[in-house]
PDB file of all heavy atoms in Angstrom:
ATOM      1  N   TYR K   3     -13.325  10.078  -1.443  1.00 91.00           N
ATOM      2  CA  TYR K   3     -14.313   9.929  -2.512  1.00 91.00           C
ATOM      3  C   TYR K   3     -13.567   9.849  -3.841  1.00 91.00           C
ATOM      4  O   TYR K   3     -12.555  10.513  -4.035  1.00 91.00           O
ATOM      5  CB  TYR K   3     -15.260  11.130  -2.556  1.00 91.00           C
ATOM      6  CG  TYR K   3     -15.944  11.413  -1.244  1.00 91.00           C
ATOM      7  CD1 TYR K   3     -15.431  12.338  -0.357  1.00 91.00           C
ATOM      8  CD2 TYR K   3     -17.114  10.737  -0.892  1.00 91.00           C
ATOM      9  CE1 TYR K   3     -16.052  12.604   0.845  1.00 91.00           C
ATOM     10  CE2 TYR K   3     -17.748  10.996   0.307  1.00 91.00           C
ATOM     11  CZ  TYR K   3     -17.214  11.934   1.176  1.00 91.00           C
ATOM     12  OH  TYR K   3     -17.829  12.187   2.366  1.00 91.00           O
ATOM     13  N   ARG K   4     -14.095   9.058  -4.755  1.00 91.00           N
ATOM     14  CA  ARG K   4     -13.505   9.008  -6.096  1.00 91.00           C
ATOM     15  C   ARG K   4     -13.732  10.360  -6.764  1.00 91.00           C
ATOM     16  O   ARG K   4     -14.693  11.057  -6.480  1.00 91.00           O
ATOM     17  CB  ARG K   4     -14.132   7.882  -6.915  1.00 91.00           C
ATOM     18  CG  ARG K   4     -13.774   6.499  -6.371  1.00 91.00           C
ATOM     19  CD  ARG K   4     -14.174   5.393  -7.328  1.00 91.00           C
ATOM     20  NE  ARG K   4     -13.525   5.511  -8.610  1.00 91.00           N
ATOM     21  CZ  ARG K   4     -12.283   5.105  -8.885  1.00 91.00           C
ATOM     22  NH1 ARG K   4     -11.555   4.556  -7.960  1.00 91.00           N
ATOM     23  NH2 ARG K   4     -11.773   5.250 -10.091  1.00 91.00           N
ATOM     24  N   ARG K   5     -12.856  10.731  -7.652  1.00 91.00           N
ATOM     25  CA  ARG K   5     -12.956  12.027  -8.331  1.00 91.00           C
ATOM     26  C   ARG K   5     -14.201  12.152  -9.216  1.00 91.00           C
ATOM     27  O   ARG K   5     -14.647  13.253  -9.495  1.00 91.00           O
ATOM     28  CB  ARG K   5     -11.704  12.285  -9.160  1.00 91.00           C
ATOM     29  CG  ARG K   5     -10.498  12.540  -8.279  1.00 91.00           C
ATOM     30  CD  ARG K   5      -9.303  12.917  -9.127  1.00 91.00           C
ATOM     31  NE  ARG K   5      -8.139  13.132  -8.308  1.00 91.00           N
ATOM     32  CZ  ARG K   5      -7.864  14.258  -7.663  1.00 91.00           C
ATOM     33  NH1 ARG K   5      -8.681  15.274  -7.752  1.00 91.00           N
ATOM     34  NH2 ARG K   5      -6.774  14.371  -6.937  1.00 91.00           N
ATOM     35  N   ASP K   6     -14.756  11.022  -9.642  1.00 91.00           N
ATOM     36  CA  ASP K   6     -15.954  11.065 -10.483  1.00 91.00           C
ATOM     37  C   ASP K   6     -17.230  10.823  -9.670  1.00 91.00           C
ATOM     38  O   ASP K   6     -18.316  10.738 -10.222  1.00 91.00           O
ATOM     39  CB  ASP K   6     -15.850  10.037 -11.618  1.00 91.00           C
ATOM     40  CG  ASP K   6     -15.664   8.612 -11.108  1.00 91.00           C
ATOM     41  OD1 ASP K   6     -15.550   8.395  -9.881  1.00 91.00           O
ATOM     42  OD2 ASP K   6     -15.629   7.702 -11.960  1.00 91.00           O
ATOM     43  N   GLU K   7     -17.111  10.744  -8.352  1.00 93.00           N
ATOM     44  CA  GLU K   7     -18.231  10.443  -7.466  1.00 93.00           C
ATOM     45  C   GLU K   7     -18.976  11.712  -7.082  1.00 93.00           C
ATOM     46  O   GLU K   7     -18.374  12.727  -6.759  1.00 93.00           O
ATOM     47  CB  GLU K   7     -17.666   9.760  -6.219  1.00 93.00           C
ATOM     48  CG  GLU K   7     -18.671   9.185  -5.281  1.00 93.00           C
ATOM     49  CD  GLU K   7     -17.998   8.399  -4.150  1.00 93.00           C
ATOM     50  OE1 GLU K   7     -16.794   8.110  -4.222  1.00 93.00           O
ATOM     51  OE2 GLU K   7     -18.712   8.095  -3.193  1.00 93.00           O
ATOM     52  N   ARG K   8     -20.302  11.630  -7.092  1.00 93.00           N
ATOM     53  CA  ARG K   8     -21.135  12.757  -6.659  1.00 93.00           C
ATOM     54  C   ARG K   8     -21.430  12.573  -5.170  1.00 93.00           C
ATOM     55  O   ARG K   8     -21.868  11.515  -4.744  1.00 93.00           O
ATOM     56  CB  ARG K   8     -22.433  12.784  -7.458  1.00 93.00           C
ATOM     57  CG  ARG K   8     -23.324  13.953  -7.125  1.00 93.00           C
ATOM     58  CD  ARG K   8     -24.556  13.963  -8.035  1.00 93.00           C
ATOM     59  NE  ARG K   8     -25.458  15.017  -7.687  1.00 93.00           N
ATOM     60  CZ  ARG K   8     -25.334  16.285  -8.039  1.00 93.00           C
ATOM     61  NH1 ARG K   8     -24.296  16.655  -8.768  1.00 93.00           N
ATOM     62  NH2 ARG K   8     -26.208  17.186  -7.680  1.00 93.00           N
ATOM     63  N   PHE K   9     -21.177  13.601  -4.397  1.00 93.00           N
ATOM     64  CA  PHE K   9     -21.482  13.583  -2.970  1.00 93.00           C
ATOM     65  C   PHE K   9     -21.697  15.013  -2.513  1.00 93.00           C
ATOM     66  O   PHE K   9     -21.297  15.955  -3.189  1.00 93.00           O
ATOM     67  CB  PHE K   9     -20.359  12.900  -2.166  1.00 93.00           C
ATOM     68  CG  PHE K   9     -19.061  13.645  -2.198  1.00 93.00           C
ATOM     69  CD1 PHE K   9     -18.726  14.529  -1.185  1.00 93.00           C
ATOM     70  CD2 PHE K   9     -18.166  13.474  -3.241  1.00 93.00           C
ATOM     71  CE1 PHE K   9     -17.521  15.221  -1.219  1.00 93.00           C
ATOM     72  CE2 PHE K   9     -16.962  14.156  -3.280  1.00 93.00           C
ATOM     73  CZ  PHE K   9     -16.641  15.034  -2.270  1.00 93.00           C
ATOM     74  N   ASP K  10     -22.348  15.171  -1.385  1.00 94.00           N
ATOM     75  CA  ASP K  10     -22.520  16.512  -0.826  1.00 94.00           C
ATOM     76  C   ASP K  10     -22.309  16.454   0.687  1.00 94.00           C
ATOM     77  O   ASP K  10     -21.939  15.419   1.241  1.00 94.00           O
ATOM     78  CB  ASP K  10     -23.877  17.118  -1.209  1.00 94.00           C
ATOM     79  CG  ASP K  10     -25.061  16.366  -0.622  1.00 94.00           C
ATOM     80  OD1 ASP K  10     -24.900  15.660   0.399  1.00 94.00           O
ATOM     81  OD2 ASP K  10     -26.166  16.494  -1.182  1.00 94.00           O
ATOM     82  N   GLU K  11     -22.580  17.560   1.334  1.00 94.00           N
ATOM     83  CA  GLU K  11     -22.300  17.686   2.760  1.00 94.00           C
ATOM     84  C   GLU K  11     -23.101  16.718   3.621  1.00 94.00           C
ATOM     85  O   GLU K  11     -22.734  16.457   4.767  1.00 94.00           O
ATOM     86  CB  GLU K  11     -22.576  19.125   3.226  1.00 94.00           C
ATOM     87  CG  GLU K  11     -21.655  20.159   2.623  1.00 94.00           C
ATOM     88  CD  GLU K  11     -22.181  20.789   1.334  1.00 94.00           C
ATOM     89  OE1 GLU K  11     -23.008  20.164   0.630  1.00 94.00           O
ATOM     90  OE2 GLU K  11     -21.755  21.904   1.011  1.00 94.00           O
ATOM     91  N   SER K  12     -24.201  16.174   3.096  1.00 93.00           N
ATOM     92  CA  SER K  12     -25.022  15.255   3.895  1.00 93.00           C
ATOM     93  C   SER K  12     -24.518  13.810   3.832  1.00 93.00           C
ATOM     94  O   SER K  12     -24.964  12.969   4.611  1.00 93.00           O
ATOM     95  CB  SER K  12     -26.482  15.315   3.429  1.00 93.00           C
ATOM     96  OG  SER K  12     -26.601  14.818   2.107  1.00 93.00           O
ATOM     97  N   ASP K  13     -23.597  13.516   2.924  1.00 94.00           N
ATOM     98  CA  ASP K  13     -23.049  12.160   2.840  1.00 94.00           C
ATOM     99  C   ASP K  13     -22.085  11.899   3.996  1.00 94.00           C
ATOM    100  O   ASP K  13     -21.467  12.811   4.532  1.00 94.00           O
ATOM    101  CB  ASP K  13     -22.321  11.959   1.508  1.00 94.00           C
ATOM    102  CG  ASP K  13     -23.290  11.862   0.345  1.00 94.00           C
ATOM    103  OD1 ASP K  13     -24.241  11.063   0.437  1.00 94.00           O
ATOM    104  OD2 ASP K  13     -23.102  12.596  -0.641  1.00 94.00           O
ATOM    105  N   ALA K  14     -21.967  10.617   4.340  1.00 93.00           N
ATOM    106  CA  ALA K  14     -21.055  10.235   5.424  1.00 93.00           C
ATOM    107  C   ALA K  14     -19.637  10.676   5.075  1.00 93.00           C
ATOM    108  O   ALA K  14     -19.173  10.449   3.961  1.00 93.00           O
ATOM    109  CB  ALA K  14     -21.101   8.727   5.630  1.00 93.00           C
ATOM    110  N   PRO K  15     -18.954  11.306   6.017  1.00 92.00           N
ATOM    111  CA  PRO K  15     -17.574  11.731   5.750  1.00 92.00           C
ATOM    112  C   PRO K  15     -16.645  10.534   5.580  1.00 92.00           C
ATOM    113  O   PRO K  15     -16.839   9.495   6.210  1.00 92.00           O
ATOM    114  CB  PRO K  15     -17.187  12.541   6.983  1.00 92.00           C
ATOM    115  CG  PRO K  15     -18.286  12.430   7.958  1.00 92.00           C
ATOM    116  CD  PRO K  15     -19.410  11.679   7.337  1.00 92.00           C
ATOM    117  N   ARG K  16     -15.656  10.703   4.719  1.00 91.00           N
ATOM    118  CA  ARG K  16     -14.654   9.662   4.462  1.00 91.00           C
ATOM    119  C   ARG K  16     -13.283  10.329   4.481  1.00 91.00           C
ATOM    120  O   ARG K  16     -12.740  10.673   3.439  1.00 91.00           O
ATOM    121  CB  ARG K  16     -14.950   8.999   3.121  1.00 91.00           C
ATOM    122  CG  ARG K  16     -16.271   8.211   3.178  1.00 91.00           C
ATOM    123  CD  ARG K  16     -16.766   7.761   1.846  1.00 91.00           C
ATOM    124  NE  ARG K  16     -15.785   7.056   1.064  1.00 91.00           N
ATOM    125  CZ  ARG K  16     -15.914   6.839  -0.248  1.00 91.00           C
ATOM    126  NH1 ARG K  16     -16.983   7.264  -0.889  1.00 91.00           N
ATOM    127  NH2 ARG K  16     -14.979   6.194  -0.898  1.00 91.00           N
ATOM    128  N   PRO K  17     -12.708  10.519   5.674  1.00 90.00           N
ATOM    129  CA  PRO K  17     -11.440  11.237   5.779  1.00 90.00           C
ATOM    130  C   PRO K  17     -10.325  10.555   5.008  1.00 90.00           C
ATOM    131  O   PRO K  17     -10.286   9.337   4.903  1.00 90.00           O
ATOM    132  CB  PRO K  17     -11.159  11.259   7.288  1.00 90.00           C
ATOM    133  CG  PRO K  17     -11.968  10.154   7.855  1.00 90.00           C
ATOM    134  CD  PRO K  17     -13.155   9.987   6.954  1.00 90.00           C
ATOM    135  N   ASP K  18      -9.423  11.381   4.473  1.00 84.00           N
ATOM    136  CA  ASP K  18      -8.316  10.867   3.656  1.00 84.00           C
ATOM    137  C   ASP K  18      -6.976  10.945   4.376  1.00 84.00           C
ATOM    138  O   ASP K  18      -5.947  10.667   3.791  1.00 84.00           O
ATOM    139  CB  ASP K  18      -8.237  11.614   2.327  1.00 84.00           C
ATOM    140  CG  ASP K  18      -8.181  13.125   2.493  1.00 84.00           C
ATOM    141  OD1 ASP K  18      -7.697  13.602   3.546  1.00 84.00           O
ATOM    142  OD2 ASP K  18      -8.621  13.822   1.579  1.00 84.00           O
ATOM    143  N   SER K  19      -6.980  11.353   5.652  1.00 85.00           N
ATOM    144  CA  SER K  19      -5.733  11.498   6.394  1.00 85.00           C
ATOM    145  C   SER K  19      -6.037  11.661   7.876  1.00 85.00           C
ATOM    146  O   SER K  19      -7.195  11.859   8.263  1.00 85.00           O
ATOM    147  CB  SER K  19      -4.977  12.734   5.906  1.00 85.00           C
ATOM    148  OG  SER K  19      -5.730  13.900   6.198  1.00 85.00           O
ATOM    149  N   HIS K  20      -4.996  11.621   8.683  1.00 88.00           N
ATOM    150  CA  HIS K  20      -5.168  11.909  10.108  1.00 88.00           C
ATOM    151  C   HIS K  20      -5.672  13.339  10.295  1.00 88.00           C
ATOM    152  O   HIS K  20      -6.512  13.605  11.150  1.00 88.00           O
ATOM    153  CB  HIS K  20      -3.841  11.722  10.858  1.00 88.00           C
ATOM    154  CG  HIS K  20      -3.423  10.292  10.957  1.00 88.00           C
ATOM    155  ND1 HIS K  20      -2.519   9.731  10.093  1.00 88.00           N
ATOM    156  CD2 HIS K  20      -3.816   9.302  11.792  1.00 88.00           C
ATOM    157  CE1 HIS K  20      -2.353   8.463  10.400  1.00 88.00           C
ATOM    158  NE2 HIS K  20      -3.129   8.171  11.431  1.00 88.00           N
ATOM    159  N   TYR K  21      -5.145  14.247   9.497  1.00 87.00           N
ATOM    160  CA  TYR K  21      -5.572  15.650   9.560  1.00 87.00           C
ATOM    161  C   TYR K  21      -7.082  15.764   9.331  1.00 87.00           C
ATOM    162  O   TYR K  21      -7.794  16.418  10.096  1.00 87.00           O
ATOM    163  CB  TYR K  21      -4.801  16.466   8.518  1.00 87.00           C
ATOM    164  CG  TYR K  21      -5.330  17.863   8.314  1.00 87.00           C
ATOM    165  CD1 TYR K  21      -5.106  18.853   9.274  1.00 87.00           C
ATOM    166  CD2 TYR K  21      -6.038  18.192   7.174  1.00 87.00           C
ATOM    167  CE1 TYR K  21      -5.597  20.134   9.093  1.00 87.00           C
ATOM    168  CE2 TYR K  21      -6.528  19.470   6.989  1.00 87.00           C
ATOM    169  CZ  TYR K  21      -6.309  20.443   7.954  1.00 87.00           C
ATOM    170  OH  TYR K  21      -6.798  21.707   7.780  1.00 87.00           O
ATOM    171  N   ALA K  22      -7.592  15.109   8.294  1.00 88.00           N
ATOM    172  CA  ALA K  22      -9.026  15.159   7.986  1.00 88.00           C
ATOM    173  C   ALA K  22      -9.846  14.551   9.121  1.00 88.00           C
ATOM    174  O   ALA K  22     -10.923  15.053   9.463  1.00 88.00           O
ATOM    175  CB  ALA K  22      -9.308  14.451   6.672  1.00 88.00           C
TER     176      ALA K  22
END
Side-chain angles (χ1 to χ4, degrees):
Y3 305 95
R4 293 191 60 81
R5 290 185 181 278
D6 58 357
E7 189 174 348
R8 183 176 177 80
F9 65 95
D10 65 23
E11 294 92 336
S12 66
D13 288 309
R16 293 169 52 196
D18 53 27
S19 64
H20 290 98
Y21 169 74

